[in-house]
Amino acid sequence: MAGRGLFITFEGVEGAGKSSQIRRLVGSLEEDGVSVFVTREPGGTAISERIRELLLERRHRKMVSTTELLLYAAARSQHVAECIAPALEEGRVVISDRFGDATTAYQGHGRGLDLELIHRLNNVATGGLVPDLTIVLDVPVKVGLGRARRRRRSMDRLEIENLEFHQRVRQGYLAIAKQEPNRVTVINSRRHPKRVHGEIRDLVNQRMSS
């Protein structure tokens, strides 16, 4: 891990368990003395967090898909420039709760926007930055939404979309993993959290030692 750090992203449908598995991984890495920078999308910077509010606020139901796509790209551009790229330059392990694959899954497969357009836009927003390892926590949509609803008092603008939308998102993630097997690994997150964490830590160890 000399020089540039390692960029790890977590993806998955709502309620897949990303937050809890990120906490477990961060704790495990820090116990081993690894310098970790944790962030999320949309968000991570003051500007990006303001955009997050616009994107997820339920009263913005009239937002059209292209507007949504461009706002995600704007938030990601600021996020990369202000947080992710500097942390990687410092040689840190950067862990992000969602990144560019989320746009492909949600706005591409979920909303039906052009996948090539999304790829080009992501490339512009990130300056060509691609995660070294992406972990897709996979869970049936009904299970994931059930988890999310039990945890929160109210659902955000994307969480309240219909079941078919979330099914398309899940299939989008599985398609991404099939297209990029060297970068993206799908992990069944219906199992006991300790087993899921063990598999994740093994994957991260392999990347850190390569």
Side-chain angles (χ1 to χ4, degrees), residues 28 30 38 113 136 141 145 165 174 204 206:
S28 177
E30 289 182 339
V38 186
L113 295 180
V136 175
V141 168
L145 288 174
F165 170 81
L174 296 178
V204 172
Q206 290 170 15

Side-chain angles (χ1 to χ4, degrees), residues 13-16 141-155 159:
V13 297
E14 311 301 329
V141 168
K142 288 184 178 179
V143 174
L145 288 174
R147 288 177 179 176
R149 286 168 181 150
R150 286 192 296 272
R151 287 200 310 265
R152 303 176 193 138
R153 290 186 176 180
S154 63
M155 308 290 279
E159 289 170 335

Side-chain angles (χ1 to χ4, degrees), residues 141-180:
V141 168
K142 288 184 178 179
V143 174
L145 288 174
R147 288 177 179 176
R149 286 168 181 150
R150 286 192 296 272
R151 287 200 310 265
R152 303 176 193 138
R153 290 186 176 180
S154 63
M155 308 290 279
D156 66 36
R157 192 177 63 86
L158 290 179
E159 289 170 335
I160 62 175
E161 286 287 347
N162 61 41
L163 187 65
E164 289 74 19
F165 170 81
H166 291 285
Q167 297 281 18
R168 293 194 299 271
V169 170
R170 184 190 184 198
Q171 291 307 311
Y173 277 126
L174 296 178
I176 293 167
K178 187 174 182 179
Q179 292 163 3
E180 299 187 63

Side-chain angles (χ1 to χ4, degrees), residues 57-126:
E57 173 58 54
R58 289 178 63 159
R59 61 193 173 93
H60 296 152
R61 294 296 301 275
K62 291 184 179 180
M63 184 181 295
V64 300
S65 298
T66 304
T67 300
E68 184 179 85
L69 172 66
L70 294 172
L71 284 173
Y72 274 109
R76 184 163 300 128
S77 178
Q78 188 69 29
H79 191 204
V80 169
E82 190 174 335
C83 293
I84 297 175
L88 289 172
E89 286 298 315
E90 292 170 0
R92 304 175 73 183
V93 171
V94 175
I95 299 175
S96 183
D97 184 340
R98 300 199 188 281
F99 195 62
D101 294 310
T103 302
T104 301
Y106 278 80
Q107 282 69 53
H109 292 269
R111 301 290 192 210
L113 295 180
D114 182 74
L115 293 173
E116 181 57 33
L117 169 63
I118 290 172
H119 174 75
R120 294 198 306 269
L121 191 58
N122 265 335
N123 194 53
V124 171
T126 64

